[in-house]
Amino acid sequence: MDVLVINGPNLNTLGSREPEVYGSTTLPEIEAALIAQGAAAGLSVDTFQSNHEGALIDRLHEARADGTRFVIINPGAFTHTSIALRDAFASVALPFVEIHISNIHAREEFRHHSYLSDLAVGVLVGLGTDGYRLAMDFAILRLAGNSGEQPALT
């Protein structure tokens, strides 16, 4: 396994859940696109979604042993509540990008804090479902040996 894509609570309802916030693309459509994008770069991609915190943590622990080299996660509401998920990321020490479809900083105050962001190698916020594609672009570069860093703009 090269890349693991994890989606947290309620993301299984994408496409029908608050389309004015999250758009009309479904999670299976996003997952299929990411699998194809990874395959085009010669990478294997696995996807996992759960509405249960413990299941996400269990899958992350499995990732350490199954050869996963990079994680893309949309933790959903667990972003703002789950110290346990944070501890799981710290324990497995896998590089990851945190993504959010909506701009969490432009929403309710309680959504402004993430328990994961300071551990992530990057965070994509408010780019809609394009954030998934961009996170995979970064993972592909990172796994190809490019740190993903861009030269300074002058």
Side-chain angles (χ1 to χ4, degrees), residues 47-103:
T47 62
F48 182 78
Q49 187 279 328
S50 180
N51 295 316
H52 305 282
E53 183 179 34
L56 298 175
I57 292 166
D58 288 344
R59 182 61 187 97
L60 192 53
H61 288 174
E62 291 170 15
R64 181 171 48 186
D66 72 8
T68 295
R69 299 166 51 208
F70 197 90
V71 177
I72 296 169
I73 185 167
N74 183 339
F78 290 140
T79 303
H80 323 292
T81 64
S82 184
I83 295 169
L85 188 58
R86 174 197 171 72
D87 288 349
F89 270 108
S91 74
V92 299
L94 289 169
F96 72 97
V97 167
E98 174 186 346
I99 65 168
H100 299 282
I101 295 169
S102 67
N103 181 351

Side-chain angles (χ1 to χ4, degrees), residues 1-6 31 34-35 37-39 41-48 59 63 66-73 94-97 132-133 135-144:
M1 176 72 49
D2 293 307
V3 180
L4 172 61
V5 180
I6 298 176
E31 291 172 336
L34 292 173
I35 291 167
Q37 183 181 358
L43 299 177
S44 61
V45 177
D46 190 23
T47 62
F48 182 78
R59 182 61 187 97
D66 72 8
T68 295
R69 299 166 51 208
F70 197 90
V71 177
I72 296 169
I73 185 167
L94 289 169
F96 72 97
V97 167
Y132 286 94
R133 178 182 48 80
M136 185 61 77
D137 284 342
F138 180 82
I140 291 166
L141 288 172
R142 178 87 179 231
L143 295 176

Side-chain angles (χ1 to χ4, degrees), residues 116-138:
L116 304 179
S117 293
D118 66 319
L119 297 178
V121 296
V123 180
L124 293 166
V125 175
L127 301 177
T129 57
D130 286 336
Y132 286 94
R133 178 182 48 80
L134 296 169
M136 185 61 77
D137 284 342
F138 180 82

